[in-house]
Amino acid sequence: MQMRIIFLTFLILCSATTGTSDTFTISLFDSIEKNIPDYSPDGIIEGEEGEELKAVHRIPELNPGEIILRKKNSANSYTLYHGTFSSTAFKPSSGLFRFSFKNSTTLSHIIRQRIFAHDQMDMTLDITTVYFDNARVYVRERDSICYTSGGIWTCLGGRRGMPSGSIHLSSEPPHAEIYIDGRAANRTTPATIPGLFAGRHIIELNLPDYTFSRRHITVIPDTTIYASFELLSASDTVYIAGDSNQGILILPHMPVDTPYYCDGAAIAATPVRLQPGRRRLQWHGGTQYSSLDTTIDIKPGKVTYFNIRPRRLHGMLYITANHSDASIMVNDSIAATGTFGKKMPTNPYAVTVTRERCRTFSDRIVVHPDSTVRCTVLLESIPDADGDGYSDSVDRCPKRYGLYDGCRRPQKCVLLLKKLSEVIDTFKNDNLSFGFNAAGILHKKALRRSVRQLIVLYDDGSHFMDNYRGLTMGNSLFACYKGIYLACELGQWFSGLSFRRDDTTRISSDTNNYTICFDTLTNKYPELYITSTSLAAGVHFGIKKVNISYSFGYRWEDLIFSDVFDSKKNITLGFLSLDNDQWFHRIHLAIDFQVERYFIPGLFFIAEFPAGKSNVTLWNVMHTGIQFTFQRVSKKNTTSWSKGIQ
């Protein structure tokens, strides 16, 4: 009885605790990755270096200018995305307001609070899209927000504009180069750097024959921070206090967040203690900066500074419109009229071409190192279906009045020719590439029932590269150029299908009957080998990161049976080979993951369907796995294409 009373009391307490929990707090975020494929889906946040906006499962450490987007999926489902502010985030048209939360409030706390336009009791009416950084909340079209924590409502007033401040830097001696967060500011001391995003920045000064100096400085909105540096001459030796057999290496903060490597081992933080001697120092700058690979001497008991800075990589960007009066804008700034050509730092650029009474062209163009990118923009005139000299968007014809009430019927052949021209342009811009499957899984299904039943009897062994079901590695090759697709597949049959049954079975050909049995006393271990080689040719079409290919091919195939008994000749044959050549249709679907300019890994799915007849059986084939593609670059390192607007 006493135990029952204790148990009931425990249930009552648990029920009371559950009833008083804070329902306005988000306990969990979605753990399923839901990446947004657009580079900048809403004009506020954008992905890193032109990549898609990626979902995150935990709150990362944010640098100035980085934000987290919290997107509401349903009543209790939220997803976090990590990115940076886009160049249009703080324009008046964006309607973005910023709200500063209290110093005692942390990002990890505020990001779990539902944000409302005003205080209310319905927790499902919170704002669906909210942005956060280390000290602020950002909301569109709202000049005030409220949230509750522990039953207490807090309301904040918002302000427009980017939270920015200034830093005034001076040094002794002067004329030192200024680097902010690893990027050159193109200024020397003394200087005032305005328009810095509020937050903690890494400031570094570099002067020839002097060791660089680094300091963390917090920028406060609408405030100028003053900082002075005393630079140490490189001829002066800095010693470590006390006795030490090691040396200290201090490295500058690089503009790309990739680690240094010392003798092949990653350096987690700087300064770092190292054993004395000559060390190999490496740093990979990706597609934006030149990589470093050098040696440095570490002396015992001394501090060594590494003063070398990476070189910014550039490429040439040429944009030509089919109208000389078209306005060309690069990253929302007017760059030229008609034709644009300039040496640009390697980066993705938002290109917009506009002209009166023409459809606006917008696209993202990536400039690669030491390369030339040529883009020819074909602007299309806005339709005038009724031929009255006014565009259809102005006189609302034919949308308002219809196609048959005063407006001419559009010519279907013209529309068809336009679509055909787009497809032809895609084929022309298909660069030479070739690839192979790195690893995959193969599955075949025989369409003839008797063959399926026979293979079931041979299905006792382990499926490892048996060209039927199991692993494949590097056996499928393909090449694409100007819309042409060629493929070659080599059947891998390192192991066969094993017959290990106590009973016997019989197979028959056009001229004879054969018996198959498993007998360890007479060393009869029947195996079935499926050997094949196929060639296919067809067409290839690529849309962004998705590649689709259709081809028609021929497969040379033999079914080889080992240790079979010839009933007619009354002898045991070592091998019996049955010809099974056939034609087939092939569909190759691939999704690419652009890592470097020449090397493209991806996922593939291949489906093959029979065409015609065969001697033994036809197959349905499915093959999926990982593939590697190598893209050819011309000798002049020039990439060119044409863009049209429909």
Side-chain angles (χ1 to χ4, degrees):
M1 185 66 181
Q2 185 178 3
M3 292 298 296
R4 183 177 298 178
I5 294 174
I6 295 174
F7 180 73
L8 291 175
T9 305
F10 176 77
L11 290 179
I12 293 173
L13 290 175
C14 290
S15 177
T17 303
T18 304
T20 59
S21 63
D22 190 358
T23 57
F24 289 85
T25 300
I26 304 170
S27 57
L28 292 174
F29 296 102
D30 280 359
S31 59
I32 302 175
E33 290 191 0
K34 300 177 180 179
N35 294 349
I36 300 178
D38 291 338
Y39 168 59
S40 182
D42 55 6
I44 303 297
I45 187 173
E46 63 186 18
E48 182 180 358
E49 301 299 338
E51 298 294 331
E52 63 183 7
L53 199 61
K54 295 184 178 180
V56 294
H57 310 319
R58 60 181 180 85
I59 302 173
E61 182 179 350
L62 300 181
N63 296 318
E66 294 183 350
I67 55 173
I68 293 178
L69 161 63
R70 190 184 74 189
K71 193 172 184 63
K72 183 177 181 181
N73 306 317
S74 60
N76 293 302
S77 175
Y78 296 81
T79 305
L80 301 180
Y81 300 92
H82 179 218
T84 59
F85 278 112
S86 68
S87 57
T88 60
F90 294 100
K91 289 187 175 182
S93 58
S94 68
L96 189 67
F97 286 84
R98 73 178 194 264
F99 306 84
S100 299
F101 46 80
K102 299 178 180 179
N103 295 333
S104 59
T105 304
T106 62
L107 173 61
S108 60
H109 172 76
I110 193 69
I111 204 171
R112 295 186 180 276
Q113 307 303 318
R114 300 176 190 259
I115 306 297
F116 300 87
H118 53 81
D119 55 340
Q120 56 183 323
M121 297 305 296
D122 190 349
M123 70 173 185
T124 63
L125 298 180
D126 59 326
I127 301 174
T128 59
T129 303
V130 186
Y131 309 88
F132 301 86
D133 65 12
N134 288 322
R136 285 163 288 275
V137 180
Y138 301 86
V139 175
R140 302 184 74 170
E141 308 298 341
R142 306 278 184 182
D143 59 359
S144 65
I145 59 172
C146 297
Y147 67 92
T148 178
S149 178
I152 301 176
W153 282 92
T154 301
C155 295
L156 303 175
R159 298 178 59 184
R160 287 183 177 270
M162 183 178 73
S164 62
S166 303
I167 297 179
H168 179 81
L169 301 173
S170 59
S171 67
E172 179 59 39
H175 309 301
E177 297 177 350
I178 301 174
Y179 291 83
I180 301 177
D181 297 326
R183 301 180 183 274
N186 298 322
R187 305 284 294 275
T188 59
T189 57
T192 299
I193 312 297
L196 291 177
F197 201 94
R200 193 166 181 256
H201 294 268
I202 300 176
I203 307 298
E204 292 175 312
L205 300 185
N206 188 32
L207 184 65
D209 299 328
Y210 286 82
T211 59
F212 73 92
S213 181
R214 175 194 297 138
R215 190 178 301 175
H216 292 83
I217 298 178
T218 300
V219 175
I220 302 175
D222 305 322
T223 305
T224 300
I225 304 297
Y226 290 84
S228 60
F229 293 75
E230 184 176 355
L231 303 180
L232 185 65
S233 173
S235 59
D236 297 332
T237 303
V238 179
Y239 293 91
I240 304 173
D243 295 332
S244 176
N245 294 326
Q246 294 180 323
I248 292 181
L249 175 61
I250 299 180
L251 302 169
H253 181 77
M254 289 301 189
V256 179
D257 191 18
T258 55
Y260 287 95
Y261 287 88
C262 182
D263 292 338
I267 298 177
T270 180
V272 59
R273 287 181 176 269
L274 298 172
Q275 294 296 330
R278 176 161 293 185
R279 303 292 181 182
R280 182 182 182 184
L281 190 64
Q282 295 172 294
W283 179 80
H284 183 60
T287 60
Q288 291 189 321
Y289 291 86
S290 59
S291 299
L292 300 177
D293 190 350
T294 184
T295 59
I296 189 169
D297 291 326
I298 305 297
K299 298 180 180 179
K302 296 181 180 179
V303 178
T304 302
Y305 290 84
F306 184 74
N307 286 333
I308 300 178
R309 289 282 179 175
R311 177 179 58 88
R312 190 66 166 92
L313 299 179
H314 292 77
M316 294 298 299
L317 175 61
Y318 291 97
I319 303 172
T320 304
N322 58 339
H323 295 281
S324 59
D325 57 345
S327 178
I328 301 175
M329 301 179 66
V330 178
N331 285 351
D332 300 322
S333 299
I334 298 179
T337 301
T339 302
F340 170 82
K342 188 178 179 182
K343 185 177 181 181
M344 307 285 287
T346 53
N347 259 330
Y349 292 94
V351 175
T352 303
V353 182
T354 58
R355 183 178 181 268
E356 186 179 358
R357 301 193 65 183
C358 288
R359 296 191 187 278
T360 300
F361 165 83
S362 297
D363 200 0
R364 187 173 59 87
I365 299 176
V366 180
V367 176
H368 295 283
D370 302 324
S371 301
T372 300
V373 180
R374 300 182 185 274
C375 177
T376 302
V377 180
L378 306 178
L379 294 177
E380 182 185 9
S381 300
I382 297 177
D384 181 17
D386 56 353
D388 60 358
Y390 297 95
S391 64
D392 296 338
S393 61
V394 175
D395 60 11
R396 295 177 294 180
C397 178
K399 183 177 181 180
R400 173 71 180 272
Y401 305 112
L403 289 173
Y404 311 109
D405 296 330
C407 299
R408 295 183 298 179
R409 182 195 299 267
Q411 299 181 4
K412 294 183 178 180
C413 61
V414 175
L415 298 177
L416 180 61
L417 290 176
K418 289 182 179 179
K419 295 299 180 183
L420 182 60
S421 176
E422 292 179 8
V423 175
I424 293 175
D425 287 341
T426 303
F427 287 157
K428 289 181 179 179
N429 298 324
D430 190 6
N431 295 326
L432 176 63
S433 61
F434 61 92
F436 65 94
N437 71 309
I441 300 296
L442 177 69
H443 179 87
K444 286 186 176 181
K445 181 180 180 181
L447 300 187
R448 182 174 292 182
R449 182 178 180 183
S450 59
V451 176
R452 287 204 306 270
Q453 294 174 344
L454 176 62
I455 292 179
V456 169
L457 301 178
Y458 275 89
D459 206 19
D460 291 335
S462 61
H463 295 289
F464 177 75
M465 292 191 181
D466 54 17
N467 202 26
Y468 175 62
R469 291 179 184 174
L471 180 66
T472 62
M473 295 184 66
N475 69 315
S476 181
L477 312 175
F478 64 90
C480 303
Y481 183 64
K482 302 295 184 183
I484 299 175
Y485 173 84
L486 300 176
C488 174
E489 187 170 289
L490 307 176
Q492 293 181 328
W493 45 286
F494 297 111
S495 64
L497 305 179
S498 302
F499 183 90
R500 297 294 184 268
R501 296 178 176 269
D502 296 334
D503 54 351
T504 62
T505 187
R506 293 184 180 182
I507 60 175
S508 60
S509 64
D510 296 336
T511 59
N512 204 350
N513 295 322
Y514 303 92
T515 303
I516 302 173
C517 66
F518 168 64
D519 189 353
T520 58
L521 296 178
T522 58
N523 293 325
K524 291 183 179 179
Y525 300 93
E527 305 279 349
L528 170 58
Y529 300 96
I530 304 174
T531 66
S532 65
T533 300
S534 64
L535 294 176
V539 294
H540 164 258
F541 190 81
I543 305 175
K544 293 185 178 179
K545 297 182 179 181
V546 179
N547 293 275
I548 303 174
S549 304
Y550 165 78
S551 57
F552 189 71
Y554 189 78
R555 181 185 296 111
W556 293 269
E557 183 176 82
D558 291 321
L559 303 183
I560 301 176
F561 297 85
S562 68
D563 293 332
V564 297
F565 182 75
D566 189 336
S567 303
K568 186 175 182 180
K569 297 181 180 181
N570 197 25
I571 60 174
T572 299
L573 301 178
F575 293 97
L576 172 65
S577 179
L578 300 180
D579 182 66
N580 192 42
D581 298 349
Q582 56 191 273
W583 294 93
F584 63 91
H585 302 276
R586 176 187 176 102
I587 298 175
H588 184 171
L589 174 65
I591 301 177
D592 295 336
F593 302 100
Q594 190 79 33
V595 176
E596 293 186 358
R597 188 180 175 192
Y598 311 96
F599 173 68
I600 306 173
L603 302 177
F604 75 90
F605 174 79
I606 296 175
E608 294 179 357
F609 307 99
K613 299 180 179 180
S614 66
N615 294 333
V616 180
T617 184
L618 298 171
W619 301 97
N620 280 339
V621 181
M622 288 186 295
H623 192 192
T624 185
I626 301 172
Q627 72 176 27
F628 293 147
T629 304
F630 298 90
Q631 182 176 346
R632 178 182 179 273
V633 179
S634 62
K635 295 182 179 179
K636 295 182 179 180
N637 288 334
T638 300
T639 304
S640 61
W641 69 93
S642 297
K643 294 282 186 178
I645 303 300
Q646 300 297 330

